[in-house]
Amino acid sequence: EGDAVRGYLEEDGVRSDSTTPTFVALELGVANWRWQGVPFYLRTGKRLPRKVTEVAVVFRSPPTEFFHPLHGGSDPHGDVLRITLQPDEGFHLSFDVKQPGPSFELTKQSLEFRYAEAFDPLPDAYETLLVDVVEGDATLFVRADEVEASWELYTPLLDDPPPVHPYRAGSWGPEEVGRLLDEGAWQAGRG
């Protein structure tokens, strides 16, 4: 809400030289033919500018661009599909379209859907989870093989942790994240 917030090192009982990580950014890949060469960027942290859980899909530009810049035309941008899981469930698709007329000027347009606008408010996540427990519906719960795969993935990071980089409370994380994520993917997730 624009209020200044205290950083982790300013909290009561936290040592001023603490190196407890409060932010992580990872680039991962899936080792199969379908996802070969497709990077997956994960990031999470404390005291970011807003609380949001979302998936941002940044589409690659096609190898041949139909609306390439001609006589001062504009450059196309990658389309972005942002699926918001919380707090405002829905999706936002942004894409370039050619403006009417003889020039090749592109403009960014979007399509949106929000559950709250189309339906009654959704129940709280814990309310849904408790109803699923009572009804014996395990579809939203993590299976044992998923937990084991997670430990297999993250144990090397726990055994040999990367350096901790400080960042300002209320920011999107340490400046060093820029080296991990290219500017397009990083910006797409900020939306």
Side-chain angles (χ1 to χ4, degrees), residues 66-146:
F66 186 71
F67 295 113
H68 61 285
L70 292 174
H71 310 292
S74 54
D75 289 323
H77 301 90
D79 298 340
V80 178
L81 173 62
R82 191 173 305 116
I83 304 165
T84 305
L85 305 174
Q86 61 175 311
D88 187 20
E89 295 85 353
F91 74 85
H92 178 99
L93 175 63
S94 61
F95 51 93
D96 285 335
V97 295
K98 180 189 173 298
Q99 292 183 17
S103 70
F104 281 94
E105 289 294 319
L106 300 176
T107 184
K108 183 70 71 184
Q109 294 296 314
S110 63
L111 294 173
E112 289 187 347
F113 171 78
R114 298 281 175 254
Y115 277 93
E117 295 171 6
F119 304 107
D120 291 333
L122 293 173
D124 180 67
Y126 287 110
E127 182 181 339
T128 302
L129 202 59
L130 290 172
V131 169
D132 288 346
V133 167
V134 170
E135 294 178 352
D137 182 357
T139 55
L140 295 179
F141 293 88
V142 178
R143 297 187 332 242
D145 60 336
E146 290 177 88

